[in-house]
Amino acid sequence: MSGNTDSTKTINSEETEPKACLENVTNRNKPDQGEKSEPRNSKKKSKRPNKTTNQKQKDGGDSESTASGKSEDNLQLNRKSSISEEKSLLEKHCSGKEESTEADVNCKNKSDQLDQIPQPISMKHLEEHQKTTTPGAKNHESTAPLTMSVFRPFDEHDKNFKYVKNQVLNPETATLDRPKLLAKLRYETFKFAAACLNVRTNGTIHFGIMDSVEDEGFAHGQIVGIPIKNKEWFADLLNDLDRSFPEASEYAAAAMCIRSPEFIEVVDVQSEEKMFVVEIDIEPLSITVEGKMFQVSLPKFDEHKNKTFYERKTIYQRTGTKSQPVKIEEEINALNLRIKEADKRRKEAEEANVPKTQTCENLGRKLSVRLTNGKQYFDDTLQYVLITNRCENHQLQHLTFLKYLKVLCVFDFDAESDINGLHSQCGDYHLTDMYSLQRYASEYGKNRDDIIINLGLFKHTSWIFCNGRKNFLGEDPPCDEQSWIKEKTKHFKKAVSLICENIKKGGFIVLFMLFSPVEKPMVKAFNEFYEGLSGMEYITCISECAEYYEQWAGMAQATCSRTELDQRSIVGMKLSHVDATVQDMIPGKDFNRKLPVSTKGVCVLTIPKEEKMNSLDILCVNECENTDHKAIDPKKLESDFYRGGKISWKHLWLAEQKKCGAFIERHACQEVEIMLNGILNEDTVKLPVARINIFHQPGSGGSTVARQTLWKNKKKLRCAVVNSRYQAEKVCEHAVQLREYEERDTKNCLPVLLLLEDCAEEYIDELRNILQEAMIHKNVRRAKTCFILLACKRSNIPEQFCAASSTDTVAITHKLRDDEKLLFKNKAQELNESFPSQDLIITFVLMSQEFNEKYLEDFVKNVMEDLDHSSPVTRLIRYVALLNRYVQNSYISLSHCEVLLGIQSYITQDHRLSQNQDLNSLKEILYQYSTIYPQSKIALALLEETTALNHRFAQQDFLKFIKDLFFRRYRKSRGDEVDSLFSPLIEYVCEVEKDTEMAIQLLQVAYEQFNKDAHFAQQLARLHYKKHKFEEAQKWVGTAKAKLPDDSYILDTEGRLYKEWFSVNHDKYKRNLSSAEEIELIDLGLKSMECFRAAQRAAKREKDTINNSGYLGEVDIGCSLLELLLTIFQKIKKDKAELVKYLIDVKYIPEELKDPWAKLHGYLKCLYQNMYNALEWISEDVGCFQSDKIDVWESSTRKNDPARNWLVHKTKIFADCFSSVSQESDLASAEESLFAKKMAIYSLGGSSVATILSLLSDSHSPHSPIEALEKIISYFPRDISEKMLDDNDLISLIMCHIALGSVQPNSSKLLEFGKLLDISQRFLNERKTFPASAYFLIFMLYWPDEKFLTKQYANKSNILTFVMETAKRLHQERIKDVPVRRKRTNVLFFLGKGHSLKKFIFRGAIEKLLNHPLNERTFRFDSDPKDMKLIQDKLQKVNGWTENGKVYTKGAFGKGKIEVLPLNYSSVPHGDENVTFYLGFTYIGYVTYGIEVKRKKN
């Protein structure tokens, strides 16, 4: 129990001046002389005086405290036997803590009167408390600093006022029955009240406040609270007041001065049980108590008689901190004198205590400071996180200011917000993505890139429905407060952590907006943000209603002091005033971004629409025109740009406004403009999607040229920069939306110019194809170009790309034209004047010198002399140089730079910090560093940057670049200068630094740092076996297999390991092999083949890659093994025939080998079939797909097909090894003779479609194609039955006839066309699946040819449908989920103008005449007229029609229809049109080239 009197508003009879009383109260903290010294409660409470008669005096009083909950009678009873523990604990809580004007001092009164208490009460409550409190709790409570709590305003009822419980466990409580409880409460309250009334001092008695002495483990005055099940019991407290104050006048005065109990809830964040502090105020108003001395009869409960009795009347007064009885006459007389003096002072103080006029706080300034983080102006650097509850309709109209804030996310506790709440209005301001709390929180812990893409971070406003959404069909219902706390607090914590851990503190303001009564979840939200941001510095609260704020702050003070809450909150300011004040601070709030339209006007681009197209950075007609000049530092923009940074739209705008230096426009700008104008204005056949390429050397200004092009065309085209982090499908969707935005006729919109910077070629191809398909679907006329892709890519050989396709490619190099040299010279002089320190414009200076090697060398040397090579900055430079040297388009993000420099990092909107574009200077830095700091050492140091490797922001890209540093090999096919076996860095360490062990160490460290990645183990195996450390290689490949047992590439590496081991030992012991060495070698070869077959099986299961290396490896090692076996057989005096017999005949084993090779026979007997199967697979693959990429719009020269050449070579080796018996030998059996002829056919190149067609294009063969084909045909038997010819042999026979017929249709070796139709019917069996090449032959033979295709075959057109479906299925099984652009279908023949075999025109024959590849561009109207004439002369036009986007032609004799696949879907006209086209033959069916709509002639 505690009794405190109002130290500033009441009269102390011992003091004469209020000021003196204040000072005395502040310093008085001593116990009475006769009492034992105990800790004191130093907490005081200021009271505001009431008006008129209820005004309180500005003077001091005294107090008495028994904080442990014991009254004065408890001390005597402490010596008596204990009874029920159940009673004692509640008695502790029901005892009061009094507050009065004197400083609170904990004391015990030892009055003899207490002996009269008839019923002893146990004092075991302390022991019981210890049993119910964890050990840690008591220690924490006794040592941790406790937050001071403000008191409830005196004599005021405030339902929103709360107390905060300290971090202690609640003691267990029992219940007292009503009579006992009331007796206890009345005893403490009436004694304290009588004492206060007699000294004319205000006071408050508290129940639920602990005492540091009696309640061990608690601080004096610590708030704990008591459980209250029935408040009505406390409400009856004053019912028997007349029995305690029997004198009528005293009773009437006491009844007016003793207030009813106040129940103050105790906020406890660790408990769901409601606890209260009960407070009773005493206010002795002078008009009521003047002239009276109060005597009180205190109630006691008699346990034996089970009823309440009343003590004799006693006078009490406040003496220090206690309520003391006045016993003797002298003391009573003295008290009378003090009462008279106190009455006088009290009356004077009440009359003088006029309420002060409340000053009005400058809320407008406070609002501007809090919302702008002290800047008092808005810019684009700050974002906002809103936390809000139910917003009513009348409030919505005053929230327009939210339209102009960059709202990162909203935590909305209104389940109907999207129906009629805040979201229903803000959805019109910004594009919002709605999430449940759990869904949003699920992004926590992911890497930065995924968070940005998944949540549209910085692009969209994330709207999180924290307590469900009624208008949602999914599983997200609202719940009550307690259920929310139990079930959703954990999700909210993750959501807050996602924001606070990922975005830099100070980069966003957390804004609580209280629109309606506050519930506990809103306070939980505050607690989480307070913890996440380590304070309230970036948290603000806005509440028009003071009551809502009081509810929120009352509960929030459990986390933060009330004073700080008040300082950071804007309370009582009307929402309309908030709205107007904020809007008045926002510059250019009426500015609208605008786009050009096809009618030569402009339209407004709304914010939600632009945010919806978040994969595009849209360039508007009036870009930057709302920019405040004062907010831009032109010198900083120029400094960043001329140091190598990318040009910004603001920089271009400033230059246009003459507010900064003009830009140099390189000659390439004019070249791009000419190409662009040609696409837009020339009267040629247009494609829906056009493309212009800019290839530029790093640092030569290619990106600047591209952006200058967009800037100059922003008024006549719709322009945007593509964010390639988004999938091509999404970019396409947004690009189409941009094209059609606010256009009446969507078929005649302005073209869209899209800039793609340093995007992969596959990504650009995919985007182009998707855009073309989209325009076809929308029936856009063909004469209109809809999209122009401006692909800007860095390259070390831009001139070569330009030479390969000069009509649509611009090359930008460091070499300057004469006029450019003058421009650069003048600009350099201008910059020298603006930037005296040339280190600010390094890149520009180097460019002006055309990156002269000597200048660059001297420049780097001078810079490095001044560097501290041990500093973090220099270390970062080394890393940048290393990555940029070996990993194209690599960069280190800003956040990773901060980590490497020891600075804490966060996500920002511009999170990607590209490395310096000047690769030449970085290369030179790396070169010069190599003399003092080897590259291997730099790479090792980079791998040991564990903090950076584990840094979540930009982690995906950073780790990819480091992996590429050790993984990515150079490939000429990708534009690299050479092909490499390992990454260039590993090869440099091995060959230049000549330190293979260091290379191994690098990969070993990488293996550990990347969580023992199996692919690093694979690289270690490769490096070891290439250095002939085969046992170590075995160990590492085993490690890789253990982690990824079904990875076809790892299994292939194992096969290559044994293959290399075999080759090295074979060469070593070639001339003199022992028997054991022979067996060891054979075993290595067989192990290698088995590993390659395992790789083949694994590759078939992989859906996203096509890995044929297992087949190639098996054939390679098989050929080597055959060579070894031939050598061994010669050694034991056996010829090749014996070897072939041994390998083919299951039963035959030479006696010399029977026992030594006992474990090998079974494997060697399968050698022929295994190699045969592998060659067959490769043959089908080479025939089905193009091995070299020939784009349908490119005109690069076709090279010799390396895969086909390899196949021909290996097939010949295989056939020659098994060609041991003369085909006409009388000694040979029929079976042997047939096998020998088959091997002869294979040796000549007649094994498959792919090898047969190679004969038509092989210009280096000593025999003509005709001779070779006729010879092959002569080896086939005349009896063409399934017994004599298997399926593959029949395919080869028919293909030889087609190939020979295309070059020599009058050859005597040819069968009649009808005969070919007859023998091919084997492949029309629908119950059996044949190789894809068999269906390719069906497509050719059954193409409608009415001269030879008789009536009996007329009905076979339906067979073609079945064949095409089967061929497509086989094609899909082979290509799996790999994009078609990566494995293009091989068009082998075209339809010519003849009949029978004469109508088939080999593609290579046409290409030889054209002297370039035959692709879609060749068939365009704007192609070379000579090419067009040649094509028209050689190829046959086919009539057909389009239907639902597909192309068809008539079947034989005009019956049925045959589907023809368009090679380029953008060439298919819209609607149902009659068309003509050229026809190609492929493994998946017929394809079209050069589709034209067939118009009627007038």
Side-chain angles (χ1 to χ4, degrees), residues 1238-1297:
K1238 182 170 185 169
M1239 290 299 101
I1241 291 172
Y1242 271 50
S1243 181
L1244 291 171
S1247 63
S1248 64
V1249 170
T1251 56
I1252 291 167
L1253 293 182
S1254 70
L1255 298 174
L1256 298 180
S1257 56
D1258 186 2
S1259 58
H1260 302 291
S1261 174
H1263 305 288
S1264 70
I1266 298 173
E1267 292 176 357
L1269 290 167
E1270 289 182 337
K1271 189 173 183 180
I1272 291 172
I1273 291 174
S1274 67
Y1275 281 123
F1276 282 99
R1278 294 182 179 181
D1279 178 12
I1280 306 174
S1281 63
E1282 291 193 44
K1283 293 182 179 179
M1284 299 300 294
L1285 289 180
D1286 61 20
D1287 295 338
N1288 288 325
D1289 293 337
L1290 182 57
I1291 291 170
S1292 298
L1293 173 61
I1294 296 175
M1295 190 67 248
C1296 285
H1297 280 76

Side-chain angles (χ1 to χ4, degrees), residues 178-200:
R178 184 176 182 183
K180 297 176 185 177
L181 175 65
L182 285 175
K184 183 66 180 172
L185 291 173
R186 287 168 179 165
Y187 183 91
E188 301 292 350
T189 302
F190 294 165
K191 184 179 73 171
F192 175 72
C196 289
L197 292 173
N198 282 331
V199 296
R200 307 302 192 253

Side-chain angles (χ1 to χ4, degrees), residues 1133-1188:
K1133 310 301 182 183
K1134 301 286 185 180
D1135 59 12
K1136 187 166 69 170
E1138 285 287 324
L1139 172 61
V1140 172
K1141 185 177 181 181
Y1142 167 67
L1143 295 176
I1144 299 299
D1145 191 339
V1146 178
K1147 299 179 180 179
Y1148 173 71
I1149 300 175
E1151 286 297 326
E1152 298 90 336
L1153 304 177
K1154 190 170 185 178
D1155 292 332
W1157 289 15
K1159 294 181 180 181
L1160 303 178
H1161 298 312
Y1163 297 102
L1164 291 174
K1165 296 292 184 181
C1166 298
L1167 180 61
Y1168 167 80
Q1169 192 61 46
N1170 288 335
M1171 291 185 67
Y1172 178 86
N1173 293 340
L1175 285 168
E1176 181 184 357
W1177 175 273
I1178 298 168
S1179 299
E1180 291 291 300
D1181 202 72
V1182 171
C1184 185
F1185 300 114
Q1186 291 180 188
S1187 58
D1188 58 334

Side-chain angles (χ1 to χ4, degrees), residues 801-995:
F801 285 103
C802 183
S805 183
S806 60
T807 58
D808 58 6
T809 302
V810 175
I812 306 177
T813 67
H814 298 139
K815 188 70 176 175
L816 300 177
R817 295 162 57 96
D818 291 340
D819 56 338
E820 290 177 330
K821 288 179 181 178
L822 181 60
L823 291 172
F824 271 84
K825 180 180 178 182
N826 294 337
K827 190 66 181 181
Q829 293 175 354
E830 177 187 329
L831 292 174
N832 285 335
E833 295 174 2
S834 301
F835 304 99
S837 178
Q838 287 193 5
D839 61 345
L840 290 177
I841 52 173
I842 293 173
T843 300
F844 182 81
V845 170
L846 293 172
M847 182 63 217
S848 65
Q849 297 293 326
E850 300 182 277
F851 286 92
N852 178 273
E853 290 187 7
K854 184 65 172 65
Y855 182 90
L856 184 60
E857 180 183 344
D858 294 340
F859 173 80
V860 171
K861 184 177 181 181
N862 292 334
V863 169
M864 290 184 63
E865 286 178 355
D866 300 327
L867 288 178
D868 177 6
H869 298 295
S870 62
S871 72
V873 173
T874 309
R875 188 172 70 249
L876 177 58
I877 291 174
R878 291 197 291 266
Y879 297 156
V880 170
L882 184 72
L883 283 175
N884 260 333
R885 170 67 181 86
Y886 290 112
V887 184
Q888 189 176 7
N889 299 328
S890 63
Y891 65 88
I892 296 181
S893 70
L894 175 60
S895 61
H896 272 92
C897 289
E898 291 170 336
V899 169
L900 291 167
L901 295 174
I903 305 170
Q904 186 171 3
S905 65
Y906 299 88
I907 293 179
T908 62
Q909 294 184 64
D910 189 18
H911 57 270
R912 173 170 167 164
L913 174 68
S914 293
Q915 294 177 352
N916 195 311
Q917 304 296 305
D918 172 19
L919 298 189
N920 293 277
S921 57
L922 289 170
K923 183 178 179 180
E924 181 63 29
I925 289 173
L926 195 62
Y927 173 76
Q928 294 195 22
Y929 251 123
S930 298
T931 60
I932 58 173
Y933 210 98
Q935 293 181 23
S936 57
K937 190 175 180 181
I938 299 173
L940 187 61
L942 178 58
L943 282 173
E944 291 172 346
E945 296 283 358
T946 304
T947 304
L949 292 174
N950 295 331
H951 182 56
R952 288 197 303 112
F953 310 147
Q955 185 180 38
Q956 189 173 354
D957 285 350
F958 187 66
L959 295 183
K960 178 183 180 299
F961 295 147
I962 294 181
K963 284 186 176 181
D964 285 349
L965 186 63
F966 296 100
F967 279 163
R968 186 183 182 277
R969 291 182 260 174
Y970 277 176
R971 288 285 181 266
K972 290 181 180 179
S973 59
R974 291 197 294 248
D976 297 320
E977 297 178 1
V978 295
D979 289 326
S980 63
L981 291 173
F982 295 93
S983 75
L985 172 65
I986 295 298
E987 291 199 340
Y988 177 89
V989 174
C990 292
E991 296 171 7
V992 179
E993 294 185 5
K994 299 188 182 304
D995 194 345

